[in-house]
């Protein structure tokens, strides 16, 4: 966007992009002081301060999800050219990077603190054999947790940097049977595992990535479904496309959390997720694996009733 200002910071001209970005209307706003129309304090201070060596980053008042970078260039005496860039995407990526580093540090700090505490105790205090074994068991649990986090980070990194997935034929009947056996082993008889299949279609893609994505959905269902609940695994294929779904009768998810579930380390209840053995990266891995197969993940859930995670594949993948 471009806005031309005179010596009194009144609008001389603005293009269509600037109109949309700042909410201006050139026909009626020409000759008006720009600070009367864009009244955000940080913008007014920036324009009046006169130091334009750095651009101003401004969150749009009209749309809080939009971030603008405003750069003022003096020209022809005291006239000013104001350039507006939409930097929403780069701001979002930068924020995601900062959150990711902070979250990784936080997730690893907890088990490291536990390990350091027990090591210090064992080094400085004489404890009996039973107590020592208890400490070692807790230390082993925390080290396994760190190993799981690092393994999931490596998996996510390899998926993001990998070339497009192979176009191999994935035998879905065999894959569904394997997923059923894995679910039964993970459940250890605590849940009713039901499998429904309709259609004999197979998928084209990378079997390891699909196994990882589907397996994550099933393990989440097992983790968050109380004993005695039902976990339903379904596969439906046709000429129009295919759907793999995992439905449970678990604790459910508040709708406000659903849009952020696939973010790295996003947790509805941090303590409960750790107790269930999750790393906070499972659904991020699912999302990236599915995106690479042009598939969409749909999540429906009702607190106290259960959740349904459905993966829809286009006809080209069936």
């Amino acid at each position: 966007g471009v806005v031309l200002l005179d010596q009194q910071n009144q609008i001389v001209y603005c293009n269509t992009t600037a109109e949309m970005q700042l909410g201006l209307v050139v026909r009626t706003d020409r000759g008006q002081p720009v600070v009367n129309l864009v009244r955000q304090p940080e913008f007014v201070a920036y324009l009046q301060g006169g130091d334009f060596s750095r651009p101003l980053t401004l969150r749009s008042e009209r749309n809080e999800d939009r971030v603008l970078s405003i750069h003022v260039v003096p020209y022809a005496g005291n006239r000013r050219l104001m350039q507006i860039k939409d930097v929403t995407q780069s701001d979002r990526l930068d924020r995601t990077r900062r959150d990711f580093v902070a979250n990784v540090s936080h997730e690893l700090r907890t088990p490291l603190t536990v390990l350091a505490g027990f090591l210090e105790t064992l080094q400085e205090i004489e404890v009996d054999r039973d107590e020592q074994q208890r400490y070692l068991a807790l230390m082993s649990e925390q080290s396994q947790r760190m190993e799981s986090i690092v393994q999931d980070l490596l998996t996510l990194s390899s998926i993001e940097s990998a070339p497009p997935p192979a176009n191999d034929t994935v035998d879905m009947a065999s894959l569904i049977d394997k997923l059923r056996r894995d679910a039964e082993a993970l459940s250890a008889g605590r849940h009713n595992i039901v499998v429904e299949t309709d259609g004999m279609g197979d998928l084209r893609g990378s079997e390891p990535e699909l196994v990882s994505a589907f397996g994550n959905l099933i393990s989440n269902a097992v983790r968050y479904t109380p004993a005695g609940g039902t976990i339903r695994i379904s596969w439906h294929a046709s000429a129009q496309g295919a759907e793999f779904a995992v439905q449970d009768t678990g604790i459910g998810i508040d709708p406000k959390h659903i849009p952020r579930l696939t973010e790295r380390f996003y947790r509805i209840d941090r303590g409960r997720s750790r107790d269930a053995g999750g790393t906070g990266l499972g659904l991020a891995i699912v999302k990236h694996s599915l995106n690479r197969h042009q598939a969409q993940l749909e999540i429906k859930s009702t607190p106290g009733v259960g959740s349904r995670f459905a993966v829809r594949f286009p006809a080209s993948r069936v």
Side-chain angles (χ1 to χ4, degrees), residues 73-263:
V73 181
Y75 77 100
N78 292 326
R79 293 176 179 269
R80 292 168 177 176
L81 180 149
M82 191 165 73
Q83 185 184 51
I84 307 103
K85 291 182 181 179
D86 188 325
V87 294
T88 305
Q89 184 66 11
S90 60
D91 179 78
R92 186 179 294 125
L93 290 171
D94 191 49
R95 189 166 63 250
T96 300
R97 178 187 58 79
R98 291 196 304 269
D99 290 347
F100 179 65
V101 171
N103 283 327
V104 170
S105 302
H106 180 80
E107 292 294 330
L108 292 176
R109 185 185 297 119
T110 301
L112 279 171
T113 301
V114 173
L115 282 171
F118 281 131
L119 284 170
E120 186 177 344
T121 300
L122 291 171
Q123 286 173 336
E124 297 183 358
I125 301 173
E126 287 291 334
V127 295
D128 60 45
R129 183 171 178 78
D130 288 345
E131 191 72 1
Q132 187 181 72
Q133 290 302 312
R134 191 174 74 85
Y135 286 176
L136 290 173
L138 290 168
M139 291 166 67
S140 175
E141 181 184 311
Q142 295 300 322
S143 66
Q144 288 171 8
R145 171 165 175 70
M146 281 195 294
E147 185 178 4
S148 296
I149 293 171
V150 171
Q151 185 58 53
D152 278 356
L153 285 169
L154 291 173
T155 300
L156 195 55
S157 176
S158 66
I159 291 173
E160 289 179 330
S161 60
N167 214 26
D168 300 331
T169 300
V170 180
D171 183 343
M172 287 304 296
S174 173
L175 179 55
I176 294 295
D177 187 58
K178 177 185 183 303
L179 292 170
R180 176 189 58 77
R181 286 184 274 111
D182 289 348
E184 289 173 346
L186 192 60
S187 171
R190 293 179 295 113
H191 307 93
N192 181 30
I193 309 295
V194 178
V195 174
E196 297 176 349
T197 58
D198 175 22
M200 301 302 291
D202 292 328
L203 281 176
R204 292 191 180 94
S206 166
E207 184 166 348
E209 288 187 33
L210 293 172
V211 167
S212 174
F214 297 162
N216 265 303
L217 296 179
I218 291 171
S219 63
N220 279 348
V222 172
R223 283 194 189 104
Y224 298 112
T225 300
T230 297
I231 295 166
R232 194 177 302 275
I233 301 167
S234 62
W235 167 250
H236 302 285
S238 70
Q240 286 72 46
E243 179 189 88
F244 172 85
V246 180
Q247 185 168 352
D248 62 54
T249 56
I251 57 179
I253 304 162
D254 191 307
K256 69 181 181 182
H257 295 293
I258 289 177
R260 299 191 61 190
L261 282 182
T262 56
E263 292 180 15

